[in-house]
Amino acid sequence: MLRGEVEISGAKNAAVAIIPAALMVDGVCRIENMPQISDTDMLLTILSELGAKVNYINHSTIEIDCSKVRYQDAPYDLMRKIRASYYLIGAMLGRFGSAKTTMPGGCNFGVRPIDQHIKGMTALGANVEVKNGFVYADVAGGRLHGTRIYLDKVSVGATMNILIAAVMAQGRTIIENAAREPHIVDLANFLNSMGADVRGAGTDTIKINGVEKLHGGTYAIIPDQIEAGTYMVAAAATGGEVLVKNVIPRHLECISAKLRETGTIVQEYEDSILVKGASTLRKVNIKTLPYPGFPTDMQPQMGALLCLAEGTSVITEGIYDNRFKYVSELRKMGAEAHVDGRVAVIEGGAKLSGAPVQACDLRAGAAMVIAGLCANGVTEIEDIHYIERGYENFVDKLRSLGADIRLVSFEDSCSGAEILSIS
Ligand code: UD1
């Protein structure tokens, strides 16, 4: 049972766009509430390798100065490791008129094309070619041109990438059918505080008037919606009581509403949320959708919780083709659940028991942790590098809430493997 208070870090999906966007800025960007996770570390390393000066002021504040960066190819081995490296295409194209990167990596939820990113960059005047796993982009004359872009699919990444590329384009860009996630608003606010002219972020039409130059400034990243939601679900699943601090309750409404349907008590305050677990959880049906719908990045955590609820729940994945790999891991712990394409049917009332399981991806890893907290016996989770991509101090934060969780290192292993052990 989790009890106590937990402080939420800055939003991963905002930070991983803001760091590449800093490449556009001629001056020092002081960024507060930066989450210390492996995805942000990786992007900061990429910027440093490109010639940026990165200074840590304290654990959550950094200064990035890209004014001396000159064009060079992005470091491929690092680019390949994370999804968000695609924002460097927009940033390098916007600043230098040229970009050569690898195709992005990240969690494997099936095919994750970047055709809408390419459509956007092409509409802005770039020649873009994807060949042998590399993306080559350049624009004649070195500067992109504003235009109207209608996205065929609501894509967070494409919206943010086009936004970054367009801030210093010549003239006005309008992105229609844009995604509306809070981190898109955060990226726009960051860019505006550095001198950009972006309006309408958070709606499906974003208007960007290109400026000649961005200047340095200070910006604080919003709290992480998904990290907060994960602790909320963990509190509910364990029947505990947790005050989740440093959050924007409005961003969590879809998660709060679903938890209330399960019988969990959720009380909202100005910048915190109190979650009190119910003695019996009720089944709910979930369909993941773009914001303000239920986030796909909270689907696995809710899947773990629903194994314990009374009755049969149905989860429909509305974003990705293959985001239920974690279900077979839950079954190893005694869950009764089956998957048919984009639908998972979870028979509740399971008595979970600890088992060796895998973190198949970042949020699947969080789901395993939640299941492990609720299971009898010891759960050992492998491949925790996925979890480290998106949760700052996960083990310490959970331990401060009373969880019996620890990181176990195998020093004799040549791979230096680590697992999470939950009792
Ligand atoms: C971002 C998030 C990820 C989250 C997802 C949906 C980051 C770094 N990652 O991923 O955590 O799960 O939003 O909220 O912010 N698509 C295309 N063509 C494209 C782009 C996307 O077909 O050019 C498809 C994708 O395959 C997917 C859907 O559109 O089925 C949504 O993807 P998108 O919103 O772009 O997700 P990401 O930006 O990759």
Side-chain angles (χ1 to χ4, degrees), residues 13 64 69 81 84 95 105 195 219 271 319 323 365 380 400-401 408 416:
N13 286 349
I64 305 177
V69 175
K81 288 189 180 151
R95 169 144 180 205
Y219 189 74
D271 59 2
I319 309 290
R323 202 169 191 175
E380 291 181 337
S400 77
L401 295 172
V408 181

Side-chain angles (χ1 to χ4, degrees), residues 73-113:
D73 296 350
Y76 308 134
D77 47 333
L78 298 176
M79 296 280 295
R80 201 175 280 129
K81 288 189 180 151
I82 54 172
R83 182 80 190 150
S85 56
Y86 51 37
Y87 294 128
L88 280 155
I89 305 172
M92 294 181 89
L93 203 46
R95 169 144 180 205
F96 304 114
S98 197
K100 181 182 169 200
T101 70
T102 51
M103 284 291 278
C107 294
N108 178 9
F109 311 136
V111 186
R112 294 178 79 180

